[in-house]
């Protein structure tokens, strides 16, 4: 079974530039998450999709971050403009969903973003 | 809201030593509890889970018991191996009708041969 795919693996940009990350979840998984993991901290949920609808985006900085999941499969997360404090690993995860099926998450390897 | 506190790392042990990584939580209702592990260069993966009080989750020689009275879910292993070196995250279900998980900060475990 193929896992959660993310790209790129690494990205280095200067502050005020824009960047986009891509995620392909496990086939058949209805729920998709984007997490931000700052060095030394645990993953923090940015946004959760159920199919192509947003379930929770309460911790997404909407003035600069946006995400979409067209057709309920792949997803992209964008930052525009980036700030120094956005340097982190951006993790995509998927789960069967909903309810208790959303407790076992499958994670991608993440995109490590460095903002200079 | 729900939150998780776990012991600071890194934790360095010799091979075959006994391991305990402490985890305590704050939650409303009756959350499920989890340990996820991140091996070097790999994504986070579920290690074990417990869904109600006094349940014991186990996998790969690791165990954790859901203790409601002490709001704890400590991870233990009787004899660690070099291959157990990884970052371990305690997590709980978000609750309040929300799906998904809230994670602790992670504990880096280093096993020396």
């Amino acid at each position: 079974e193929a896992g959660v795919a993310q790209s790129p693996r690494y990205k280095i940009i200067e502050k005020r530039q824009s960047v986009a990350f891509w995620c392909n979840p496990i086939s058949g998984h209805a729920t998709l998450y984007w997490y931000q993991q700052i060095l030394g901290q645990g993953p923090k949920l940015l946004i959760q999709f159920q199919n192509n609808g947003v379930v929770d985006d309460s911790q997404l900085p909407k003035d600069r971050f946006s995400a979409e999941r067209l057709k309920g499969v792949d997803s992209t997360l964008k930052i525009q403009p980036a700030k120094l404090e956005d340097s982190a690993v951006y993790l995509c995860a998927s789960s069967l969903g909903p309810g208790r099926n959303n407790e076992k998450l499958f994670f991608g390897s993440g995109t490590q973003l460095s903002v200079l | 809201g729900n939150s998780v506190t776990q012991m600071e790392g890194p934790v360095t042990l010799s091979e075959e030593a006994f391991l305990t990584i402490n985890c305590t939580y704050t939650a409303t209702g009756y959350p499920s509890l989890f340990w996820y592990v991140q091996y070097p260069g790999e994504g986070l993966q579920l290690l074990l889970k417990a869904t109600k009080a006094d349940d014991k989750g186990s996998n790969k020689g690791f165990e954790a018991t859901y203790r409601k009275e002490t709001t704890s879910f400590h991870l233990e292993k009787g004899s660690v191996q070099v291959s157990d070196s990884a970052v371990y995250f305690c997590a709980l279900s978000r609750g309040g009708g929300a799906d998904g998980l809230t994670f602790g900060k992670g504990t880096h475990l280093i096993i020396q041969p």
Side-chain angles (χ1 to χ4, degrees), chain A residues 33 35 37 40-43 45 48 56 91 98-100 102-105 107-109, chain B residues 30 32 34 36 38 41-44 46 49 51 89 93-94 99-101 103-105:
Chain A
Y33 308 82
Y35 280 86
Q37 187 176 10
Q41 299 184 20
L45 179 68
Q48 176 184 347
D56 184 355
L91 297 168
R100 280 285 170 93
N102 277 342
E103 292 180 346
K104 184 172 183 179
L105 274 58
F107 282 85
S109 295
Chain B
Y30 303 93
S32 297
F34 308 82
Y36 275 75
Q38 187 170 29
E42 298 184 18
L44 277 154
L46 178 65
K49 65 182 277 189
T51 57
F89 293 89
S93 50
R94 290 169 62 212
D99 293 338
L101 304 179
F103 288 87
K105 291 186 176 183

Side-chain angles (χ1 to χ4, degrees), chain A residues 23-81:
Chain A
C23 173
N24 188 356
I26 291 173
S27 177
H29 279 194
T31 310
L32 185 148
Y33 308 82
W34 283 102
Y35 280 86
Q36 180 192 57
Q37 187 176 10
I38 293 172
L39 186 65
Q41 299 184 20
K44 170 190 153 186
L45 179 68
L46 293 176
I47 188 167
Q48 176 184 347
F49 292 94
Q50 184 74 24
N51 297 309
N52 60 352
V54 175
V55 174
D56 184 355
D57 64 356
S58 58
Q59 299 190 92
L60 186 73
K62 298 181 188 63
D63 57 334
R64 298 184 300 106
F65 286 65
S66 64
E68 59 182 10
R69 191 184 183 196
L70 300 176
K71 301 181 182 178
V73 181
D74 292 8
S75 177
T76 57
L77 175 70
K78 296 179 181 177
I79 308 174
Q80 182 179 12

